[in-house]
Amino acid sequence: MGAWVLHVDLDQFIAAVEVLRRPELAGLPVIVGGRGDPTERAVVSTASYEARAFGVGSGMPLRIAARKVPDAVILPVDHEAYAEASEAVMATLRGHPGATVQVLGWDEAFVGIDADHPEQVARDLQRAVLDRTKLHCSVGIGDTLVRAKVATGFGKPQGVFRLTAANWLEVMGPRPTKDLWGVGSKVSRRLAALGIDTVADLAAADPAALAGEFGPRMGPWYRELGRGEGAAVVDDTPWVARGHSRETTYQQDLTEPADVDAAVRVLAEAVLDDVAAEGRPVIGLTVKVRYAPFETKAFTKRVPETSDRDVVLARVLELAAARIDRARAVRLLGVRAEMAMPDDAREGHTPTRGGW
Protein backbone atom coordinates (compact mmCIF):
# COMPACT_ATOMS: atom_id res chain seq x y z
CA MET A 1 0.00 0.00 0.00
CA GLY A 2 1.16 3.52 -0.74
CA ALA A 3 0.04 6.94 0.49
CA TRP A 4 -1.37 9.10 -2.30
CA VAL A 5 -2.84 12.56 -2.69
CA LEU A 6 -5.78 12.86 -5.07
CA HIS A 7 -7.03 16.24 -6.19
CA VAL A 8 -10.69 16.11 -7.20
CA ASP A 9 -11.82 19.06 -9.32
CA LEU A 10 -15.37 19.35 -10.63
CA ASP A 11 -15.55 20.13 -14.34
CA GLN A 12 -17.13 23.53 -15.19
CA PHE A 13 -18.87 23.23 -11.81
CA ILE A 14 -21.16 26.25 -11.71
CA ALA A 15 -22.17 25.92 -15.34
CA ALA A 16 -22.74 22.19 -14.82
CA VAL A 17 -25.06 22.85 -11.85
CA GLU A 18 -27.05 25.29 -13.98
CA VAL A 19 -27.36 22.77 -16.82
CA LEU A 20 -28.63 20.14 -14.37
CA ARG A 21 -31.37 22.57 -13.36
CA ARG A 22 -32.09 23.47 -16.99
CA PRO A 23 -31.35 20.40 -19.13
CA GLU A 24 -32.32 22.30 -22.28
CA LEU A 25 -29.05 24.25 -21.90
CA ALA A 26 -26.89 21.16 -22.45
CA GLY A 27 -24.46 21.74 -25.30
CA LEU A 28 -25.10 25.51 -25.40
CA PRO A 29 -22.63 28.26 -24.48
CA VAL A 30 -23.58 29.13 -20.90
CA ILE A 31 -22.07 32.03 -18.96
CA VAL A 32 -22.74 32.64 -15.26
CA GLY A 33 -21.95 35.98 -13.65
CA GLY A 34 -23.34 38.84 -11.60
CA ARG A 35 -27.09 39.19 -11.91
CA GLY A 36 -27.05 37.74 -15.41
CA ASP A 37 -27.24 41.18 -17.04
CA PRO A 38 -24.31 41.94 -19.38
CA THR A 39 -25.19 45.65 -19.37
CA GLU A 40 -24.23 45.81 -15.70
CA ARG A 41 -20.74 45.84 -14.24
CA ALA A 42 -20.00 42.25 -13.31
CA VAL A 43 -17.54 39.50 -14.15
CA VAL A 44 -17.85 35.92 -15.34
CA SER A 45 -17.95 33.39 -12.49
CA THR A 46 -17.70 30.46 -14.85
CA ALA A 47 -18.44 29.47 -18.43
CA SER A 48 -19.34 26.17 -20.04
CA TYR A 49 -16.78 24.54 -22.31
CA GLU A 50 -18.88 25.67 -25.28
CA ALA A 51 -18.48 29.31 -24.18
CA ARG A 52 -14.80 28.85 -23.35
CA ALA A 53 -14.21 27.83 -26.95
CA PHE A 54 -14.91 31.47 -27.83
CA GLY A 55 -12.32 32.74 -25.36
CA VAL A 56 -14.61 33.39 -22.39
CA GLY A 57 -12.99 32.85 -18.99
CA SER A 58 -13.57 33.42 -15.29
CA GLY A 59 -12.99 37.01 -14.20
CA MET A 60 -13.70 38.47 -17.65
CA PRO A 61 -16.11 41.43 -17.66
CA LEU A 62 -19.57 40.12 -18.45
CA ARG A 63 -20.12 42.67 -21.21
CA ILE A 64 -16.98 41.48 -23.04
CA ALA A 65 -18.04 37.85 -22.64
CA ALA A 66 -21.45 38.68 -24.13
CA ARG A 67 -19.73 40.40 -27.03
CA LYS A 68 -17.56 37.33 -27.69
CA VAL A 69 -20.57 34.98 -27.66
CA PRO A 70 -23.69 36.90 -28.73
CA ASP A 71 -25.80 33.72 -28.58
CA ALA A 72 -24.69 32.74 -25.07
CA VAL A 73 -27.17 32.03 -22.30
CA ILE A 74 -26.19 34.36 -19.47
CA LEU A 75 -27.40 33.42 -15.99
CA PRO A 76 -27.17 35.07 -12.55
CA VAL A 77 -25.01 33.60 -9.79
CA ASP A 78 -26.96 31.39 -7.35
CA HIS A 79 -24.69 30.81 -4.36
CA GLU A 80 -27.14 28.61 -2.44
CA ALA A 81 -27.53 26.13 -5.31
CA TYR A 82 -23.76 25.79 -5.74
CA ALA A 83 -23.17 25.37 -2.00
CA GLU A 84 -25.80 22.62 -1.84
CA ALA A 85 -24.31 20.75 -4.82
CA SER A 86 -20.81 21.14 -3.40
CA GLU A 87 -21.76 19.67 -0.04
CA ALA A 88 -23.24 16.60 -1.76
CA VAL A 89 -19.93 16.11 -3.60
CA MET A 90 -17.81 16.51 -0.47
CA ALA A 91 -20.04 14.11 1.47
CA THR A 92 -19.55 11.56 -1.32
CA LEU A 93 -15.76 11.92 -1.11
CA ARG A 94 -15.81 11.57 2.68
CA GLY A 95 -17.87 8.42 2.29
CA HIS A 96 -15.08 6.60 0.46
CA PRO A 97 -13.46 4.05 2.81
CA GLY A 98 -10.23 5.33 4.30
CA ALA A 99 -10.42 8.77 2.64
CA THR A 100 -9.20 11.94 4.33
CA VAL A 101 -10.79 14.98 2.67
CA GLN A 102 -9.43 18.54 2.69
CA VAL A 103 -11.93 20.89 1.06
CA LEU A 104 -10.42 23.75 -0.98
CA GLY A 105 -13.61 25.37 -2.22
CA TRP A 106 -17.00 24.67 -3.79
CA ASP A 107 -15.54 22.65 -6.61
CA GLU A 108 -12.32 21.02 -5.41
CA ALA A 109 -10.79 19.00 -2.62
CA PHE A 110 -7.75 16.93 -1.78
CA VAL A 111 -8.34 13.31 -0.87
CA GLY A 112 -5.68 11.37 1.03
CA ILE A 113 -5.79 7.61 0.47
CA ASP A 114 -3.65 4.53 1.00
CA ALA A 115 -3.89 2.37 -2.11
CA ASP A 116 -1.89 0.16 -4.44
CA HIS A 117 -3.80 1.41 -7.47
CA PRO A 118 -4.64 5.13 -7.07
CA GLU A 119 -6.01 5.35 -10.63
CA GLN A 120 -8.67 2.83 -9.68
CA VAL A 121 -9.56 4.88 -6.59
CA ALA A 122 -9.77 7.99 -8.78
CA ARG A 123 -12.19 6.26 -11.16
CA ASP A 124 -14.23 4.99 -8.21
CA LEU A 125 -14.52 8.54 -6.86
CA GLN A 126 -15.51 9.89 -10.26
CA ARG A 127 -18.21 7.25 -10.58
CA ALA A 128 -19.52 7.83 -7.04
CA VAL A 129 -19.73 11.61 -7.54
CA LEU A 130 -21.48 11.17 -10.88
CA ASP A 131 -23.95 8.65 -9.48
CA ARG A 132 -24.90 10.86 -6.54
CA THR A 133 -24.80 14.34 -8.10
CA LYS A 134 -24.74 13.85 -11.90
CA LEU A 135 -21.61 16.03 -11.92
CA HIS A 136 -18.37 15.09 -13.66
CA CYS A 137 -14.94 15.63 -12.13
CA SER A 138 -11.28 15.26 -13.02
CA VAL A 139 -8.72 13.76 -10.66
CA GLY A 140 -5.02 14.51 -10.31
CA ILE A 141 -2.85 11.95 -8.55
CA GLY A 142 0.38 12.96 -6.83
CA ASP A 143 2.86 12.22 -4.10
CA THR A 144 2.50 15.82 -2.85
CA LEU A 145 -0.42 18.25 -2.76
CA VAL A 146 1.22 20.46 -5.37
CA ARG A 147 1.81 17.63 -7.83
CA ALA A 148 -1.74 16.32 -7.42
CA LYS A 149 -3.21 19.79 -7.95
CA VAL A 150 -1.16 20.45 -11.08
CA ALA A 151 -1.89 16.95 -12.42
CA THR A 152 -5.61 17.64 -12.54
CA GLY A 153 -5.15 20.15 -15.34
CA PHE A 154 -3.75 17.39 -17.54
CA GLY A 155 -6.77 15.21 -16.86
CA LYS A 156 -9.52 17.66 -17.72
CA PRO A 157 -12.24 17.05 -18.57
CA GLN A 158 -13.39 13.86 -16.81
CA GLY A 159 -9.92 12.33 -16.83
CA VAL A 160 -7.22 11.10 -14.46
CA PHE A 161 -3.52 12.02 -14.56
CA ARG A 162 -0.56 11.18 -12.31
CA LEU A 163 2.36 13.48 -11.48
CA THR A 164 5.10 12.34 -9.11
CA ALA A 165 8.78 12.99 -8.46
CA ALA A 166 9.48 10.49 -11.26
CA ASN A 167 7.84 12.50 -14.07
CA TRP A 168 7.48 16.01 -12.65
CA LEU A 169 10.35 17.63 -14.55
CA GLU A 170 9.63 15.66 -17.70
CA VAL A 171 6.06 16.98 -17.79
CA MET A 172 6.42 20.39 -16.13
CA GLY A 173 10.08 21.32 -16.67
CA PRO A 174 9.69 23.05 -20.07
CA ARG A 175 6.54 24.92 -19.04
CA PRO A 176 6.47 28.59 -17.98
CA THR A 177 6.53 29.27 -14.26
CA LYS A 178 3.04 30.80 -14.38
CA ASP A 179 1.70 27.29 -15.03
CA LEU A 180 2.53 26.42 -11.42
CA TRP A 181 -0.15 26.53 -8.79
CA GLY A 182 0.67 29.55 -6.66
CA VAL A 183 2.71 31.47 -9.27
CA GLY A 184 0.68 34.16 -10.98
CA SER A 185 1.62 36.61 -13.71
CA LYS A 186 3.27 39.13 -11.39
CA VAL A 187 5.52 36.59 -9.68
CA SER A 188 6.29 35.02 -13.06
CA ARG A 189 7.52 38.39 -14.34
CA ARG A 190 9.71 38.87 -11.28
CA LEU A 191 11.17 35.40 -11.78
CA ALA A 192 11.83 36.18 -15.45
CA ALA A 193 13.81 39.24 -14.36
CA LEU A 194 16.10 36.81 -12.51
CA GLY A 195 16.50 34.71 -15.66
CA ILE A 196 14.00 32.10 -14.44
CA ASP A 197 11.51 31.40 -17.23
CA THR A 198 10.56 27.74 -16.90
CA VAL A 199 9.64 25.35 -14.12
CA ALA A 200 12.98 23.59 -14.63
CA ASP A 201 14.77 26.94 -14.20
CA LEU A 202 12.90 27.51 -10.94
CA ALA A 203 13.62 24.00 -9.69
CA ALA A 204 17.35 24.61 -10.18
CA ALA A 205 17.39 28.25 -9.03
CA ASP A 206 19.78 29.60 -6.43
CA PRO A 207 17.87 29.78 -3.12
CA ALA A 208 19.85 32.86 -2.09
CA ALA A 209 18.82 34.73 -5.25
CA LEU A 210 15.19 33.82 -4.69
CA ALA A 211 15.37 34.88 -1.05
CA GLY A 212 16.88 38.19 -2.11
CA GLU A 213 13.94 38.86 -4.42
CA PHE A 214 11.04 37.38 -2.45
CA GLY A 215 12.27 37.20 1.14
CA PRO A 216 13.68 34.40 3.31
CA ARG A 217 10.37 32.54 3.55
CA MET A 218 8.76 32.97 0.13
CA GLY A 219 11.97 32.65 -1.91
CA PRO A 220 12.75 29.05 -0.90
CA TRP A 221 9.02 28.26 -1.07
CA TYR A 222 8.88 29.20 -4.77
CA ARG A 223 11.86 26.90 -5.44
CA GLU A 224 9.98 24.14 -3.63
CA LEU A 225 7.00 24.76 -5.92
CA GLY A 226 9.29 24.49 -8.93
CA ARG A 227 10.23 21.02 -7.77
CA GLY A 228 6.64 20.04 -7.02
CA GLU A 229 7.60 19.44 -3.40
CA GLY A 230 5.94 20.44 -0.15
CA ALA A 231 3.20 18.92 1.98
CA ALA A 232 2.38 15.30 1.19
CA VAL A 233 -0.29 14.67 3.83
CA VAL A 234 -3.90 15.71 3.38
CA ASP A 235 -5.13 17.63 6.42
CA ASP A 236 -8.85 17.48 7.18
CA THR A 237 -8.63 19.90 10.10
CA PRO A 238 -11.52 22.34 9.56
CA TRP A 239 -10.27 25.42 7.78
CA VAL A 240 -10.27 28.59 9.86
CA ALA A 241 -10.64 31.83 7.93
CA ARG A 242 -7.71 34.20 8.37
CA GLY A 243 -9.93 37.13 7.50
CA HIS A 244 -13.22 38.29 6.05
CA SER A 245 -13.72 40.64 3.13
CA ARG A 246 -16.50 42.27 1.18
CA GLU A 247 -16.33 44.22 -2.07
CA THR A 248 -18.77 45.88 -4.43
CA THR A 249 -18.54 46.99 -8.04
CA TYR A 250 -20.75 50.05 -8.52
CA GLN A 251 -22.95 50.35 -11.58
CA GLN A 252 -22.13 54.09 -11.70
CA ASP A 253 -18.76 55.46 -10.64
CA LEU A 254 -18.62 57.09 -7.22
CA THR A 255 -17.36 60.63 -7.76
CA GLU A 256 -18.28 62.37 -4.51
CA PRO A 257 -16.04 61.85 -1.46
CA ALA A 258 -19.11 61.57 0.78
CA ASP A 259 -20.45 58.73 -1.35
CA VAL A 260 -17.11 56.93 -1.16
CA ASP A 261 -17.04 57.31 2.64
CA ALA A 262 -20.59 55.99 2.93
CA ALA A 263 -19.79 53.01 0.71
CA VAL A 264 -16.68 52.14 2.74
CA ARG A 265 -18.77 52.28 5.90
CA VAL A 266 -21.39 49.88 4.48
CA LEU A 267 -18.70 47.38 3.48
CA ALA A 268 -16.91 47.70 6.83
CA GLU A 269 -20.13 47.09 8.76
CA ALA A 270 -20.76 43.91 6.75
CA VAL A 271 -17.20 42.69 7.36
CA LEU A 272 -17.53 43.43 11.07
CA ASP A 273 -20.69 41.32 11.22
CA ASP A 274 -18.70 38.42 9.74
CA VAL A 275 -15.82 39.01 12.16
CA ALA A 276 -18.18 39.14 15.16
CA ALA A 277 -19.48 35.68 14.26
CA GLU A 278 -15.89 34.35 14.46
CA GLY A 279 -15.26 35.74 17.93
CA ARG A 280 -11.62 36.57 17.20
CA PRO A 281 -9.90 39.98 17.41
CA VAL A 282 -8.87 42.01 14.37
CA ILE A 283 -5.15 42.51 13.77
CA GLY A 284 -5.02 43.98 10.25
CA LEU A 285 -7.08 45.91 7.71
CA THR A 286 -7.07 46.31 3.95
CA VAL A 287 -8.96 48.78 1.81
CA LYS A 288 -9.19 48.00 -1.89
CA VAL A 289 -10.15 50.54 -4.54
CA ARG A 290 -10.55 50.30 -8.29
CA TYR A 291 -10.47 53.65 -10.01
CA ALA A 292 -12.12 54.21 -13.37
CA PRO A 293 -11.48 52.91 -15.88
CA PHE A 294 -9.69 49.92 -14.29
CA GLU A 295 -6.73 50.64 -12.00
CA THR A 296 -6.78 48.69 -8.74
CA LYS A 297 -4.94 49.56 -5.52
CA ALA A 298 -4.92 47.86 -2.12
CA PHE A 299 -3.80 49.54 1.10
CA THR A 300 -2.98 47.43 4.16
CA LYS A 301 -2.37 48.44 7.76
CA ARG A 302 -1.57 46.43 10.88
CA VAL A 303 -3.61 47.50 13.91
CA PRO A 304 -3.32 46.76 17.62
CA GLU A 305 -5.31 43.62 18.38
CA THR A 306 -8.88 44.58 19.19
CA SER A 307 -12.42 43.24 19.29
CA ASP A 308 -13.94 46.69 19.67
CA ARG A 309 -16.23 47.20 16.67
CA ASP A 310 -16.16 50.99 16.88
CA VAL A 311 -12.37 51.06 17.00
CA VAL A 312 -12.06 48.82 13.94
CA LEU A 313 -14.62 50.87 12.00
CA ALA A 314 -12.77 54.07 12.84
CA ARG A 315 -9.47 52.55 11.64
CA VAL A 316 -11.03 51.46 8.34
CA LEU A 317 -12.44 54.92 7.70
CA GLU A 318 -9.09 56.52 8.60
CA LEU A 319 -7.24 54.22 6.20
CA ALA A 320 -9.69 54.95 3.39
CA ALA A 321 -9.57 58.69 3.98
CA ALA A 322 -5.77 58.70 3.98
CA ARG A 323 -5.18 56.54 0.93
CA ILE A 324 -8.09 56.81 -1.52
CA ASP A 325 -7.57 59.56 -4.10
CA ARG A 326 -10.63 61.77 -3.74
CA ALA A 327 -10.04 63.37 -7.13
CA ARG A 328 -10.61 60.08 -9.01
CA ALA A 329 -13.83 58.27 -9.86
CA VAL A 330 -14.23 54.97 -8.00
CA ARG A 331 -15.51 51.86 -9.73
CA LEU A 332 -15.06 49.28 -6.93
CA LEU A 333 -14.41 49.27 -3.21
CA GLY A 334 -13.47 46.45 -0.87
CA VAL A 335 -12.72 46.07 2.83
CA ARG A 336 -10.93 43.16 4.52
CA ALA A 337 -10.26 42.49 8.20
CA GLU A 338 -7.56 40.01 9.21
CA MET A 339 -8.08 38.19 12.50
CA ALA A 340 -5.81 36.55 15.03
CA MET A 341 -5.57 32.81 14.38
CA PRO A 342 -6.51 30.29 17.08
CA ASP A 343 -3.75 28.07 18.48
CA ASP A 344 -5.24 24.91 16.96
CA ALA A 345 -5.65 26.30 13.42
CA ARG A 346 -4.23 24.32 10.52
CA GLU A 347 -0.52 25.05 10.17
CA GLY A 348 1.14 26.26 7.01
CA HIS A 349 -0.58 27.60 3.94
CA THR A 350 -1.78 26.29 0.66
CA PRO A 351 -0.72 28.05 -2.56
CA THR A 352 -3.50 29.81 -4.41
CA ARG A 353 -3.79 32.23 -7.28
CA GLY A 354 -5.08 35.75 -6.93
CA GLY A 355 -7.79 36.85 -4.54
CA TRP A 356 -7.25 38.93 -1.42
Side-chain angles (χ1 to χ4, degrees), residues 20 34 49 76 80 109 120 125 130 138 153 157 188 196 198-199 214 238 252 255 259 261 288 297 322 342 347 351:
L20 285 178
Y49 290 126
E80 290 185 5
Q120 183 59 55
L125 291 176
L130 182 62
S138 300
S188 182
I196 300 169
T198 67
V199 174
F214 298 102
Q252 285 80 39
T255 57
D259 292 337
D261 292 339
K288 180 178 178 180
K297 301 282 188 180
E347 294 183 0

Side-chain angles (χ1 to χ4, degrees), residues 12 37 57 68 70 76 82 86 91 123 234 240 249 271 293 296 298 333 347 352:
Q12 54 175 8
D37 184 350
K68 285 179 174 288
Y82 314 143
S86 174
R123 293 297 183 189
V234 175
V240 177
T249 298
V271 168
T296 305
L333 287 169
E347 294 183 0
T352 56

Side-chain angles (χ1 to χ4, degrees), residues 57-101:
S58 299
M60 176 182 291
L62 204 55
R63 59 182 174 78
I64 293 177
R67 196 180 306 152
K68 285 179 174 288
V69 197
D71 296 332
V73 178
I74 302 178
L75 301 173
V77 174
D78 185 343
H79 293 279
E80 290 185 5
Y82 314 143
E84 182 179 351
S86 174
E87 184 50 45
V89 171
M90 301 308 164
T92 303
L93 299 180
R94 293 188 184 100
H96 188 87
T100 301
V101 178

Side-chain angles (χ1 to χ4, degrees), residues 102 145 217 221 230-240 242 341-351:
Q102 179 179 332
L145 273 65
R217 184 174 69 90
W221 184 70
V233 178
V234 175
D235 183 357
D236 62 355
T237 304
W239 181 254
V240 177
R242 186 171 295 276
M341 296 295 283
D343 293 337
D344 59 352
R346 182 186 299 164
E347 294 183 0
H349 68 289
T350 303

Side-chain angles (χ1 to χ4, degrees), residues 221-256:
W221 184 70
Y222 283 125
R223 185 172 184 262
E224 191 174 81
L225 281 185
R227 293 168 171 246
E229 297 172 350
V233 178
V234 175
D235 183 357
D236 62 355
T237 304
W239 181 254
V240 177
R242 186 171 295 276
H244 285 291
S245 60
R246 297 290 186 99
E247 68 179 42
T248 299
T249 298
Y250 303 99
Q251 297 306 313
Q252 285 80 39
D253 294 341
L254 304 181
T255 57
E256 296 297 327

Side-chain angles (χ1 to χ4, degrees), residues 80-336:
E80 290 185 5
Y82 314 143
E84 182 179 351
S86 174
E87 184 50 45
V89 171
M90 301 308 164
T92 303
L93 299 180
R94 293 188 184 100
H96 188 87
T100 301
V101 178
Q102 179 179 332
V103 177
L104 294 183
W106 270 342
D107 60 346
E108 60 178 326
F110 287 118
V111 178
I113 198 80
D114 286 331
D116 289 328
H117 305 289
E119 278 81 4
Q120 183 59 55
V121 175
R123 293 297 183 189
D124 290 345
L125 291 176
Q126 287 177 317
R127 188 162 45 251
V129 169
L130 182 62
D131 288 347
R132 178 166 177 176
T133 68
K134 296 184 171 62
L135 294 169
H136 291 281
C137 60
S138 300
V139 182
I141 300 170
D143 48 3
T144 66
L145 273 65
V146 167
R147 290 183 184 132
K149 168 73 174 178
V150 175
T152 313
F154 294 97
K156 281 189 167 292
Q158 301 179 33
V160 174
F161 193 87
R162 185 196 290 205
L163 265 181
T164 67
N167 67 339
W168 171 260
L169 284 178
E170 176 188 349
V171 174
M172 291 298 297
R175 293 178 173 268
T177 57
K178 68 179 180 180
D179 283 2
L180 286 168
W181 182 37
V183 177
S185 297
K186 290 181 180 178
V187 170
S188 182
R189 286 195 293 269
R190 291 172 67 184
L191 289 169
L194 297 176
I196 300 169
D197 298 309
T198 67
V199 174
D201 292 339
L202 183 56
D206 178 2
L210 291 170
E213 174 66 24
F214 298 102
R217 184 174 69 90
M218 293 304 296
W221 184 70
Y222 283 125
R223 185 172 184 262
E224 191 174 81
L225 281 185
R227 293 168 171 246
E229 297 172 350
V233 178
V234 175
D235 183 357
D236 62 355
T237 304
W239 181 254
V240 177
R242 186 171 295 276
H244 285 291
S245 60
R246 297 290 186 99
E247 68 179 42
T248 299
T249 298
Y250 303 99
Q251 297 306 313
Q252 285 80 39
D253 294 341
L254 304 181
T255 57
E256 296 297 327
D259 292 337
V260 172
D261 292 339
V264 169
R265 180 181 289 272
V266 168
L267 291 168
E269 293 282 7
V271 168
L272 287 167
D273 288 342
D274 295 335
V275 168
E278 296 276 358
R280 289 182 281 139
V282 172
I283 60 173
L285 298 169
T286 300
V287 172
K288 180 178 178 180
V289 58
R290 178 169 296 146
Y291 300 111
F294 211 83
E295 181 187 359
T296 305
K297 301 282 188 180
F299 309 109
T300 298
K301 181 179 180 62
R302 305 295 292 182
V303 298
E305 185 174 305
T306 179
S307 296
D308 189 315
R309 185 184 184 101
D310 292 337
V311 169
V312 176
L313 179 59
R315 296 291 182 269
V316 172
L317 295 174
E318 289 171 5
L319 180 60
R323 303 304 300 271
I324 294 177
D325 187 343
R326 301 311 177 97
R328 302 183 66 180
V330 171
R331 178 189 178 99
L332 171 149
L333 287 169
V335 172
R336 173 180 170 85

